[in-house]
Amino acid sequence: MRIAMISEHASPLAALGGVDAGGQNTHVAELSTALAAEGHEVRVYTRRDAPDLPELAELDNGVSVVHVPAGPAEHIGKDDLLPHMAEFSHWLVRQWGSGEWTPAVAHAHFWMSGLAAVTAGRLTEVPVVQTYHALGTVKRRHQGAMDTSPPRRIGYERALGRSVDRVIAQSQDEVAELIRMGVPRARLSVVPSGVNEQTFAPDGPVADRIPGRPRVLTVGRLVARKGFQDVVRAMQLVPDAECVIVGGPPGSDLDADPQACQLRRLAEDCGVGDRVRLVGAVPREEMPRWYRSADVLVAAPWYEPFGLTPLEAMACGVPVIGTAVGGLTDTVVDGLTGDLVAPRDPRALGMAMRRLLSDRVRRFAYATAALDRARQCYSWRRAAEQLVAVYATVSGVRQPSRVVA
Ligand code: UDP
C-alpha cells in the first residue's frame, strides 16, 4: 500500500532533544520503518526547514522523506507554522493530483498536518487518518496563559476529529479527552506508540557511571511541563544518588540555554547542585547506553500525551517511576513494572525514589516485568499491523499489496 505520513514540523531525520523535536519525530521514523519493512511504500512529508535539504531523500530503510517547500527554508517554531499550512496543502494536491505519486491513505501527525492533509485529501480523494500526539485542550488546561499555541487550535482540532476518516488515540486517557471534545467514538481506534526492541534492549554498551552512586535518569525536551524541576527537588530525599538529565540543546550549548540555567540554579538552591548533571541532547542511537546506566528512570511530566521515554527505559530493563498522567497510566503498571505518583509533587516523587533505590529486589522484579511488557505489548511491528488494518478499512484496500522489488 502507498502510505503518506504528514509530519509538518517533526522530520524523522531531525536531531532530537530540542524544543520541538522529540517523540513525534521518533514515532514517525519508527512507524514508517516498520511499515516499509512489511512491504509498504512510505513517504514522509515534512516542511523544508533548511536550504540544503533535497526535495526527496530516499533512506536505507526503504522510506522516502519529501521536504515540502512551505514558508522559508529555515527553522520556524511549531506555534508559528499555521500560516504556511495552506501552501503545504497546495503542494500535496499538486503531487497527489498529478498522478506522480498518489497514496492510498494519508496519516497526519499533529493537528496542523491534519489540516493540510484533510484539505489535500478532499481534492484528491485520499482518505485521512489523524494522530494528534498532543491536544490543545490539555495544553490550555495545564499551561493557561503560558500556552503559545495559535488561539484557534482547539476549534481546529475539534473540527478535524469530525472530518477525518479515523482518529488514532494513543492511550485510554486520550480517548476520554477526545470523546469530551465531541469526536464520535465510532471514529476512534486506539493504537499506542511502540518501542524499537532491537535498539532498546538490556544488553549492550553502558554509559560511564560513578562507582557506588545510584543513578536516577530523566530524559526529554527541556520544557517546563516535563517536570525536571520536580525531579531536581525530589533529589533532596535521596542523598546518595545522582541525577542525570538528558535532552535540550547539544551539551556545548547548555550554558546559554535558559531552561538549563534555571535547572542548575534550582539544583544549587536545593543543595543538590553537585549531584545533578545535565548532559544535553544525545543522538537517538546513543540513548540505550544512558538508559542501561540507570538504576531507575524517572519521568515526572505534569501531563503527557504518550511518553516514549518510560517505554524505552522499560525495553532496556530499567524500572520506571512516573507521574500518573496520560499515556504513562497505560504503559507503566503501578506496583508491577514501576511506581506511579501524583504529578507536581516532588515529595511523593522523592519518597518513591528513596523506596525503590533502597530495594534491590523490587527493582529487579520491576525491571523484569517492564521488559516483558515492553516486548509483549509495544512493538512497532504490532503498531504497524494495527494501523494497516485501519488504513485498509478507510481506503477500501482490504488486501494491502506487498511491493515487489
Ligand atoms: N530523545 C533523544 N535524545 C535526547 C532527548 C530525547 O533521542 O537527547 C528522544 C527519546 O529517546 C524519545 C523522544 O526523544 O524517543 C522523546 O519522546 P517523548 O514521547 O518522551 O517526549 P515528547 O518529546 O514527545 O514530548
mmCIF file of all heavy atoms in Angstrom, residues 108-124:
data_model
loop_
_atom_site.group_PDB
_atom_site.id
_atom_site.type_symbol
_atom_site.label_atom_id
_atom_site.label_comp_id
_atom_site.label_asym_id
_atom_site.label_seq_id
_atom_site.Cartn_x
_atom_site.Cartn_y
_atom_site.Cartn_z
ATOM 1 N N ALA A 108 -1.893 11.723 9.160
ATOM 2 C CA ALA A 108 -1.410 13.034 9.606
ATOM 3 C C ALA A 108 -1.015 12.972 11.080
ATOM 4 O O ALA A 108 -1.730 12.391 11.900
ATOM 5 C CB ALA A 108 -2.490 14.081 9.408
ATOM 6 N N HIS A 109 0.114 13.598 11.393
ATOM 7 C CA HIS A 109 0.620 13.637 12.770
ATOM 8 C C HIS A 109 0.630 15.084 13.245
ATOM 9 O O HIS A 109 1.273 15.928 12.634
ATOM 10 C CB HIS A 109 2.025 13.032 12.825
ATOM 11 C CG HIS A 109 2.032 11.594 12.407
ATOM 12 N ND1 HIS A 109 1.930 10.552 13.301
ATOM 13 C CD2 HIS A 109 2.061 11.026 11.173
ATOM 14 C CE1 HIS A 109 1.923 9.409 12.651
ATOM 15 N NE2 HIS A 109 2.003 9.669 11.349
ATOM 16 N N PHE A 110 -0.092 15.359 14.331
ATOM 17 C CA PHE A 110 -0.266 16.693 14.907
ATOM 18 C C PHE A 110 -1.362 17.415 14.114
ATOM 19 O O PHE A 110 -1.627 17.118 12.960
ATOM 20 C CB PHE A 110 1.050 17.489 14.879
ATOM 21 C CG PHE A 110 1.135 18.574 15.935
ATOM 22 C CD1 PHE A 110 1.040 18.261 17.274
ATOM 23 C CD2 PHE A 110 1.309 19.900 15.583
ATOM 24 C CE1 PHE A 110 1.126 19.254 18.249
ATOM 25 C CE2 PHE A 110 1.404 20.903 16.545
ATOM 26 C CZ PHE A 110 1.300 20.570 17.881
ATOM 27 N N TRP A 111 -1.993 18.384 14.761
ATOM 28 C CA TRP A 111 -3.204 18.968 14.176
ATOM 29 C C TRP A 111 -2.944 19.739 12.893
ATOM 30 O O TRP A 111 -3.759 19.688 11.962
ATOM 31 C CB TRP A 111 -3.925 19.829 15.208
ATOM 32 C CG TRP A 111 -3.168 21.052 15.662
ATOM 33 C CD1 TRP A 111 -2.188 21.094 16.602
ATOM 34 C CD2 TRP A 111 -3.333 22.392 15.210
ATOM 35 N NE1 TRP A 111 -1.724 22.373 16.755
ATOM 36 C CE2 TRP A 111 -2.418 23.195 15.925
ATOM 37 C CE3 TRP A 111 -4.179 23.000 14.280
ATOM 38 C CZ2 TRP A 111 -2.315 24.574 15.727
ATOM 39 C CZ3 TRP A 111 -4.089 24.366 14.084
ATOM 40 C CH2 TRP A 111 -3.159 25.140 14.803
ATOM 41 N N MET A 112 -1.812 20.444 12.792
ATOM 42 C CA MET A 112 -1.588 21.234 11.577
ATOM 43 C C MET A 112 -1.367 20.341 10.361
ATOM 44 O O MET A 112 -1.806 20.657 9.267
ATOM 45 C CB MET A 112 -0.415 22.190 11.776
ATOM 46 C CG MET A 112 -0.821 23.401 12.589
ATOM 47 S SD MET A 112 0.521 24.569 12.785
ATOM 48 C CE MET A 112 1.539 23.740 13.963
ATOM 49 N N SER A 113 -0.712 19.203 10.566
ATOM 50 C CA SER A 113 -0.590 18.238 9.466
ATOM 51 C C SER A 113 -1.976 17.774 9.052
ATOM 52 O O SER A 113 -2.250 17.560 7.869
ATOM 53 C CB SER A 113 0.208 17.008 9.910
ATOM 54 O OG SER A 113 1.487 17.363 10.315
ATOM 55 N N GLY A 114 -2.843 17.600 10.060
ATOM 56 C CA GLY A 114 -4.212 17.177 9.774
ATOM 57 C C GLY A 114 -4.932 18.173 8.884
ATOM 58 O O GLY A 114 -5.612 17.797 7.925
ATOM 59 N N LEU A 115 -4.766 19.470 9.167
ATOM 60 C CA LEU A 115 -5.431 20.490 8.334
ATOM 61 C C LEU A 115 -4.953 20.388 6.892
ATOM 62 O O LEU A 115 -5.748 20.402 5.946
ATOM 63 C CB LEU A 115 -5.128 21.898 8.855
ATOM 64 C CG LEU A 115 -5.667 22.276 10.236
ATOM 65 C CD1 LEU A 115 -5.352 23.736 10.531
ATOM 66 C CD2 LEU A 115 -7.161 22.021 10.335
ATOM 67 N N ALA A 116 -3.627 20.273 6.714
ATOM 68 C CA ALA A 116 -3.077 20.180 5.351
ATOM 69 C C ALA A 116 -3.571 18.909 4.666
ATOM 70 O O ALA A 116 -3.957 18.927 3.491
ATOM 71 C CB ALA A 116 -1.547 20.193 5.407
ATOM 72 N N ALA A 117 -3.604 17.802 5.416
ATOM 73 C CA ALA A 117 -3.984 16.518 4.818
ATOM 74 C C ALA A 117 -5.466 16.482 4.454
ATOM 75 O O ALA A 117 -5.843 15.973 3.393
ATOM 76 C CB ALA A 117 -3.653 15.386 5.785
ATOM 77 N N VAL A 118 -6.318 17.027 5.325
ATOM 78 C CA VAL A 118 -7.760 16.997 5.049
ATOM 79 C C VAL A 118 -8.069 17.826 3.804
ATOM 80 O O VAL A 118 -8.827 17.398 2.927
ATOM 81 C CB VAL A 118 -8.553 17.500 6.277
ATOM 82 C CG1 VAL A 118 -9.947 17.938 5.900
ATOM 83 C CG2 VAL A 118 -8.627 16.417 7.327
ATOM 84 N N THR A 119 -7.454 18.999 3.702
ATOM 85 C CA THR A 119 -7.707 19.846 2.537
ATOM 86 C C THR A 119 -7.224 19.139 1.274
ATOM 87 O O THR A 119 -7.959 19.048 0.275
ATOM 88 C CB THR A 119 -6.953 21.194 2.687
ATOM 89 O OG1 THR A 119 -7.139 21.647 4.023
ATOM 90 C CG2 THR A 119 -7.442 22.217 1.716
ATOM 91 N N ALA A 120 -6.019 18.596 1.310
ATOM 92 C CA ALA A 120 -5.486 17.907 0.126
ATOM 93 C C ALA A 120 -6.277 16.627 -0.153
ATOM 94 O O ALA A 120 -6.562 16.292 -1.304
ATOM 95 C CB ALA A 120 -4.013 17.581 0.343
ATOM 96 N N GLY A 121 -6.637 15.928 0.912
ATOM 97 C CA GLY A 121 -7.362 14.664 0.757
ATOM 98 C C GLY A 121 -8.718 14.853 0.084
ATOM 99 O O GLY A 121 -9.133 14.052 -0.752
ATOM 100 N N ARG A 122 -9.409 15.944 0.441
ATOM 101 C CA ARG A 122 -10.724 16.209 -0.169
ATOM 102 C C ARG A 122 -10.602 16.382 -1.673
ATOM 103 O O ARG A 122 -11.410 15.898 -2.440
ATOM 104 C CB ARG A 122 -11.304 17.491 0.416
ATOM 105 C CG ARG A 122 -11.854 17.286 1.792
ATOM 106 C CD ARG A 122 -13.217 17.968 1.952
ATOM 107 N NE ARG A 122 -13.702 17.636 3.280
ATOM 108 C CZ ARG A 122 -13.715 18.499 4.288
ATOM 109 N NH1 ARG A 122 -13.345 19.740 4.103
ATOM 110 N NH2 ARG A 122 -14.148 18.121 5.475
ATOM 111 N N LEU A 123 -9.555 17.105 -2.084
ATOM 112 C CA LEU A 123 -9.404 17.426 -3.505
ATOM 113 C C LEU A 123 -8.860 16.253 -4.314
ATOM 114 O O LEU A 123 -9.007 16.220 -5.537
ATOM 115 C CB LEU A 123 -8.490 18.646 -3.674
ATOM 116 C CG LEU A 123 -9.077 19.955 -3.114
ATOM 117 C CD1 LEU A 123 -8.015 21.037 -3.036
ATOM 118 C CD2 LEU A 123 -10.244 20.418 -3.988
ATOM 119 N N THR A 124 -8.218 15.324 -3.667
ATOM 120 C CA THR A 124 -7.581 14.232 -4.414
ATOM 121 C C THR A 124 -8.172 12.861 -4.053
ATOM 122 O O THR A 124 -7.663 11.837 -4.499
ATOM 123 C CB THR A 124 -6.058 14.198 -4.102
ATOM 124 O OG1 THR A 124 -5.892 14.122 -2.692
ATOM 125 C CG2 THR A 124 -5.346 15.428 -4.626
#
